[in-house]
Amino acid sequence: ASLIEGRNVSKVYATATAPLVALSDVSFGIEEGEFVSLVGPSGCGKSTLLSILGGLEERTDGTLVLDGKHHDAPRADIGMMFQTSVLFPWRTVRENVLLPGIILGLERKQQEARCAELLSMVGLDGFGERYPSELSGGMRQRVGLARLLAHDPRVLLMDEPFGALDEFTRETMNIELLRIWERTRKTVIFVTHNIGEAVFLSDRVFVMTPRPGRLEGIVEIDLPRP
Ligand code: ADP
Ligand code: ADP
């Protein structure tokens, strides 16, 4: 069975005017360790689907199964990252990365060691005692990436994580993300509206096709790695 399975997932937003169908009968399976991209034009429901997987939004209909268990928000198993990482400005880089572990009550010594390792992994050696205001946008996303990995989630949900960065920085970050993925084999679901980026990164690309007010479904393209 797949690690993550969605069956006929639908989402209707209540709005001031008519109800808005953001997802309609979307079904998919994602295997453990897979890097999957979710692509499609703006408004096709990518963020909605990711938010449902992360437990930030409730689905209107359908079923969602994680590792054989029906669930709505398996928080410790899931890490989410967005276009900009909201960092605590009065906390150092190190303290920001330690935060998820503190919230989850993980062992402090172990987390400190892991934090040093992660900062090195994302190219922030020597930046642990800096404050977010001293960092560039790219470096703040590196902090976000380290924080995402800090509590060792099984599944990474990334919503255009480098989309706000300039092209060179984005490509660099994409390559680093791939290196990290090759080392950790986390299950990654990566949202982008850039098909080139999706093809570069993923094992499989889910293309979401918009229809007037609804979604047709998901087309899968298999991209075997060399
Ligand atoms: P994408 O990430 O592909 O750009 P979204 O999931 O953000 O698409 O949006 C899908 C559709 O749902 C869009 O029509 C959007 O306007 C609508 N939508 C998203 N969030 C909300 C919300 N909180 N309330 C009402 N409509 C929403
Ligand atoms: P576009 O012309 O729309 O930018 P490309 O296919 O050239 O489309 O690239 C799209 C995105 O895919 C790039 O901005 C980058 O994020 C990613 N990408 C493509 N090729 C590479 C690569 N060799 N290394 C890193 N990222 C890449």
Side-chain angles (χ1 to χ4, degrees), residues 167 170-175 194-201:
E167 191 179 345
R170 185 171 69 244
E171 293 188 357
T172 307
M173 296 296 290
N174 279 342
I175 291 167
N194 188 322
I195 292 197
E197 181 169 82
V199 167
F200 175 74
L201 288 169

Side-chain angles (χ1 to χ4, degrees), residues 61-138:
D61 218 336
T63 53
L64 211 52
V65 177
L66 178 87
D67 203 12
K69 293 183 281 285
H70 286 259
H71 79 94
D72 278 284
R75 301 203 179 271
D77 281 347
I78 285 182
M80 288 192 87
M81 183 172 173
F82 303 92
Q83 209 170 77
T84 49
S85 294
V86 179
L87 305 174
F88 287 92
W90 62 92
R91 297 282 185 200
T92 63
V93 164
R94 189 178 55 83
E95 289 168 334
N96 269 284
V97 173
L98 284 171
L99 212 67
I102 291 171
I103 291 169
L104 291 167
L106 303 180
E107 213 264 308
R108 184 65 182 241
K109 264 228 165 63
Q110 217 172 319
Q111 284 294 300
E112 294 271 4
R114 184 168 171 75
C115 176
E117 214 175 286
L118 286 170
L119 287 180
S120 170
M121 197 193 273
V122 300
L124 285 178
D125 258 332
F127 285 90
E129 301 310 315
R130 300 290 190 89
Y131 285 86
S133 60
E134 301 176 83
L135 307 180
S136 67

